[in-house]
Amino acid sequence: MMKTLIMVAFGGAIGASLRFLWGVGALRITGPTEFPVAIMAANVLGSFLMGAFVVLAAQRGLTHLSPLVMTGLLGGFTTFSAFSLETVTLLERGHFGMAGAYVALSVGLSIAGLFLGLWVMRGILL
C-alpha cells in the first residue's frame, strides 16, 4: 500500500508541475485570453494520454504502473482524464443513460459545489 501511495504522490507531483508549465507555455503562446485554452487543451491531451495508456498497459502488461501514470501523473495533469475514462467505460458497457447522467451530474454538481464554496466562504470571510 505504501509503495502505491508513493507512486501516486510522485506521479501527481510531476503531473501538477507539468500542468503549471503547460499553462505558462500556453499563456506565452496565446497571450492573455478570456477563454481557458490551456485548461481545455490539457484536459483533451490528458484524456488522450489516459486512453492511450489504458490500451498500452493492458497489451504490454504494464497495469502495475497505473497508480503512477493514471492516478498520479495524469490525475495531477488533469482530473478530467479520469472523468473521461469513467464515461467511456460506461458507454462501452452499454450504459448510455448512466453515462449521460454521470456527465450531467458531474459537471452540474461540480459547478454547483464551486458556487456553494464561494458563497459559504464569502459569507464567512467578507
Side-chain angles (χ1 to χ4, degrees):
M1 176 68 171
M2 189 56 119
K3 179 182 174 185
T4 303
L5 180 61
I6 291 169
M7 288 172 65
V8 170
F10 181 68
I14 294 170
S17 298
L18 290 172
R19 175 63 174 265
F20 172 76
L21 293 173
W22 180 269
V24 169
L27 183 62
R28 287 184 180 165
I29 292 169
T30 65
T33 176
E34 292 292 319
F35 191 79
V37 175
I39 292 169
M40 185 183 69
N43 287 335
V44 172
L45 177 61
S47 295
F48 169 79
L49 293 172
M50 178 76 77
F53 181 78
V54 166
V55 172
L56 179 70
Q59 289 186 354
R60 303 273 170 95
L62 300 173
T63 56
H64 64 284
L65 296 176
S66 292
L68 172 72
V69 176
M70 292 174 61
T71 306
L73 179 69
L74 295 174
F77 187 67
T78 171
T79 58
F80 206 81
S81 56
F83 166 76
S84 299
L85 177 63
E86 295 297 334
T87 302
V88 169
T89 299
L90 288 170
L91 291 171
E92 287 183 338
R93 292 180 181 165
H95 302 298
F96 301 106
M98 195 179 297
Y102 177 64
V103 169
L105 289 169
S106 293
V107 173
L109 292 175
S110 293
I111 291 170
L114 189 131
F115 272 123
L116 181 62
L118 290 171
W119 180 72
V120 166
M121 293 311 291
R122 285 176 177 158
I124 291 172
L125 299 176
L126 299 179

